[in-house]
Amino acid sequence: METCTIKSKDREAFIDVTSRIQEIITASGMQTGTCVLHVPHTTAAITVNEGADPSVASDILAYLAERVPHRGPYRHGEGNSDAHIKSTLVGVSQVLPVERGKLVLGTWQSIFFCEFDGPRSRRLHVQLVSHGEALGK
Amino acid sequence: METCTIKSKDREAFIDVTSRIQEIITASGMQTGTCVLHVPHTTAAITVNEGADPSVASDILAYLAERVPHRGPYRHGEGNSDAHIKSTLVGVSQVLPVERGKLVLGTWQSIFFCEFDGPRSRRLHVQLVSHGEALGK
Amino acid sequence: METCTIKSKDREAFIDVTSRIQEIITASGMQTGTCVLHVPHTTAAITVNEGADPSVASDILAYLAERVPHRGPYRHGEGNSDAHIKSTLVGVSQVLPVERGKLVLGTWQSIFFCEFDGPRSRRLHVQLVSHGEALGK
């Protein structure tokens, strides 16, 4: 398992990590397998969405900010309950196929680390499961 | 990895793909393993929910339509920001166990391809990870 | 694949299942691998979030209860459409890495079975995929 460090500059941000994950796959030499991504934080998440137009990520962030208010009638005293809620709504893991040494992603898909309570230094776990010949297709 | 083609007839739809995925598993001969489903699109998703009563799918779609409005104060210029937001909320991948050659699903569970910006022809990737004897339980 | 039984006492609850899943991993002897969790129900879910302060789970439940009302203009006649919607928003599967025989979780992360239509007796499937030497990293 590899671990990436992700640095955010703002409280909320979508950070494109596609090329970093692909570099880990390329370095491993794995041709066919599964890539498990796990965010070991409770106020961040990971998603796959459009990377070509940055307005898509900003629309998603703006939607979440409006619908999950930063200040609300929350009981958790740290002032970041909104970030915990967003983490559960978006999710902290992603599983993606790898074929011929490349992440299988659609034309417009990028992988985004979602920061909801930054700025901070965060980690992203990347676990590669190579499908050996014994594993079949 | 296999790829299914999914055709939608409306802008928004839940399309039950359970039997098509089971057919791929059956054809592979895999008995014990994991089934990774990945939607290579940014305005669609995949979920598992009740398939017996179609009202459940229509209630989920109606909820999402009400809470993620089609027209809103979005920056992305293609008029489908709602579909991108729904894709991130629902998610583009699912991972399911396979035992004795069958998808492990609850009595009421079906797998739905979620179209949020159709009608279109879409793809769904199905990656089977067979657990050989060397892989243990 | 192992199956845990989860008993809920209320209609809605987050039940910490981390130690039960770790016990299954420990009993299996698996050192390096992937843990696939699957909820075979359509009105429950599974998430990973903060376990240290129980206010976090109650804030997430309160948020979902407010934003996905129990009584609404739903078509499904069983009075639990809210629970089906929450199940799709949170998701019924999680995939986590295992290293040195331990679940890879962040300092504050716990795994929660999410009951949205209890009280009931529920099941949680735990599938372990051991990465044998042939599988590489």
Side-chain angles (χ1 to χ4, degrees):
Chain A
M1 197 183 74
E2 303 279 327
T3 301
C4 299
T5 300
I6 315 280
K7 286 185 167 47
S8 55
K9 295 176 185 167
D10 297 297
R11 182 164 193 268
E12 296 167 19
F14 269 35
I15 299 164
D16 191 329
V17 292
T18 317
S19 62
R20 294 181 63 179
I21 296 165
Q22 180 59 54
E23 283 166 17
I24 289 170
I25 294 167
T26 302
S28 78
M30 184 174 86
Q31 292 299 303
T32 305
T34 306
C35 176
V36 176
L37 304 172
H38 174 68
V39 171
H41 304 285
T42 59
T43 53
I46 190 154
T47 194
V48 177
N49 214 305
E50 180 176 331
D53 177 5
S55 294
V56 171
S58 67
D59 280 345
I60 299 171
L61 277 172
Y63 174 84
L64 290 170
E66 187 200 332
R67 299 286 168 146
V68 191
H70 187 179
R71 306 300 175 195
Y74 302 122
R75 292 174 53 189
H76 181 56
E78 297 185 13
N80 60 0
S81 284
D82 63 317
H84 288 290
I85 294 166
K86 292 171 187 173
S87 178
T88 276
L89 290 176
V90 176
V92 294
S93 63
Q94 285 286 329
V95 178
L96 295 165
V98 174
E99 294 245 306
R100 295 182 206 87
K102 301 283 183 192
L103 280 165
V104 175
L105 289 170
T107 310
W108 306 106
Q109 284 185 320
S110 292
I111 305 167
F112 291 97
F113 182 94
C114 310
E115 175 63 80
F116 295 130
D117 193 32
R120 295 206 209 185
S121 180
R122 300 285 204 171
R123 287 171 296 141
L124 171 63
H125 294 315
V126 182
Q127 189 186 46
L128 303 181
V129 186
S130 176
H131 303 178
E133 292 181 19
L135 284 176
K137 60 194 310 177
Chain B
M1 196 183 76
E2 303 280 328
T3 302
C4 299
T5 300
I6 316 279
K7 287 186 168 48
S8 56
K9 295 175 186 169
D10 298 297
R11 183 165 193 267
E12 296 167 21
F14 270 35
I15 298 164
D16 190 330
V17 292
T18 317
S19 62
R20 293 180 63 179
I21 296 165
Q22 181 58 54
E23 284 166 16
I24 289 170
I25 293 167
T26 301
S28 79
M30 185 174 87
Q31 292 299 304
T32 305
T34 306
C35 176
V36 176
L37 303 173
H38 174 67
V39 171
H41 304 285
T42 59
T43 53
I46 190 155
T47 194
V48 177
N49 214 304
E50 180 175 330
D53 176 4
S55 294
V56 171
S58 67
D59 281 345
I60 299 171
L61 277 172
Y63 173 84
L64 289 170
E66 186 200 333
R67 299 287 168 146
V68 191
H70 187 178
R71 306 300 175 193
Y74 302 122
R75 292 174 54 190
H76 181 55
E78 296 184 13
N80 59 0
S81 284
D82 63 317
H84 288 290
I85 293 166
K86 292 170 186 173
S87 178
T88 277
L89 291 176
V90 176
V92 295
S93 63
Q94 285 286 329
V95 178
L96 294 166
V98 175
E99 294 245 304
R100 295 183 206 88
K102 301 282 182 192
L103 281 164
V104 176
L105 288 171
T107 310
W108 306 104
Q109 285 184 321
S110 292
I111 306 167
F112 291 98
F113 183 94
C114 310
E115 175 63 80
F116 295 128
D117 192 33
R120 295 207 210 187
S121 179
R122 300 286 204 171
R123 287 171 296 140
L124 170 64
H125 294 316
V126 182
Q127 189 186 47
L128 302 181
V129 186
S130 176
H131 302 177
E133 292 179 21
L135 284 175
K137 60 194 307 176
Chain C
M1 197 183 75
E2 303 279 329
T3 302
C4 299
T5 299
I6 315 280
K7 286 185 168 46
S8 55
K9 295 176 187 168
D10 298 296
R11 182 164 194 267
E12 296 168 20
F14 269 36
I15 298 164
D16 190 329
V17 292
T18 317
S19 63
R20 294 181 63 179
I21 296 165
Q22 180 58 55
E23 283 166 17
I24 290 170
I25 294 167
T26 302
S28 79
M30 184 174 87
Q31 292 299 302
T32 305
T34 305
C35 176
V36 176
L37 303 172
H38 174 66
V39 171
H41 303 286
T42 58
T43 53
I46 190 155
T47 193
V48 177
N49 214 305
E50 182 176 330
D53 177 4
S55 295
V56 171
S58 67
D59 280 346
I60 299 171
L61 276 172
Y63 174 84
L64 289 170
E66 186 200 332
R67 299 288 168 147
V68 190
H70 187 179
R71 307 300 175 193
Y74 302 122
R75 291 174 55 190
H76 181 54
E78 297 184 14
N80 60 359
S81 284
D82 63 316
H84 287 289
I85 293 165
K86 292 170 186 173
S87 177
T88 277
L89 290 176
V90 175
V92 294
S93 64
Q94 284 287 328
V95 178
L96 295 165
V98 174
E99 294 245 305
R100 295 182 207 86
K102 301 282 183 194
L103 280 165
V104 176
L105 289 170
T107 310
W108 306 105
Q109 285 184 321
S110 292
I111 306 167
F112 291 97
F113 183 93
C114 310
E115 175 62 80
F116 296 128
D117 191 33
R120 295 206 211 187
S121 179
R122 300 284 205 171
R123 287 171 296 140
L124 171 63
H125 294 315
V126 182
Q127 189 185 48
L128 302 181
V129 186
S130 175
H131 302 177
E133 292 180 19
L135 284 176
K137 61 193 310 179

